Amino acid sequence: MVILAIVWVVFRFFLDFDGLYGQDSYEYLRYTKALNLYFRTGTFPGDYFWPLYYPIAGAVLSFVLKPAIALQMVSFISYLIVILYSFKIIKLIYPQNQNARIFCMLFLGYLLICFG
């Protein structure tokens, strides 16, 4: 975990990587900003093709954080919810197994490294 934190700090601050890559992330950020403007001034944000809950959650959080950081927080909170419910499902299916927490952390850490 410490190594992941160090890698994140290097990419974020020393290489000035904003965490956005690909067309989708920039479109989510654009629409988050448009929704925030809509919430503040009533300016219509325009049509949108992708699902709305992610930019809506980002727009609400962007009242206290920068929009890009707000969207990353939404993703991080979603990841924590996945960890919680994965652990609960494993405990429900295998109540006698005491290694469910270790398995969850290893598997979800693997997901974060590969797809994060």
Side-chain angles (χ1 to χ4, degrees):
M1 292 302 248
V2 173
I3 293 172
L4 288 176
I6 291 170
V7 168
W8 178 79
V9 167
V10 167
F11 273 95
R12 176 67 180 105
F13 296 107
F14 294 116
L15 299 177
D16 199 30
F17 178 62
D18 61 1
L20 302 174
Y21 51 91
Q23 173 187 348
D24 292 354
S25 60
Y26 285 102
E27 183 59 22
Y28 279 126
L29 179 61
R30 182 201 65 80
Y31 202 68
T32 296
K33 290 177 182 178
L35 283 173
N36 187 291
L37 185 65
Y38 173 71
F39 292 152
R40 288 186 288 123
T41 64
T43 306
F44 183 66
D47 293 331
Y48 194 65
F49 176 75
W50 288 278
L52 289 174
Y53 290 119
Y54 186 64
I56 288 173
V60 170
L61 277 177
S62 68
F63 282 110
V64 293
L65 299 169
K66 292 180 181 179
I69 302 294
L71 288 173
Q72 290 174 353
M73 288 303 298
V74 170
S75 297
F76 183 72
I77 291 168
S78 300
Y79 184 73
L80 291 178
I81 291 170
V82 166
I83 289 174
L84 174 71
Y85 281 104
S86 297
F87 179 70
K88 287 185 178 211
I89 289 170
I90 289 173
K91 289 300 279 186
L92 183 68
I93 295 173
Y94 302 106
Q96 72 281 1
N97 192 345
Q98 299 300 319
N99 296 326
R101 180 176 291 141
I102 294 170
F103 175 77
C104 253
M105 294 303 151
L106 289 174
F107 179 69
L108 294 169
Y110 169 75
L111 288 179
L112 183 63
I113 289 169
C114 292
F115 303 110

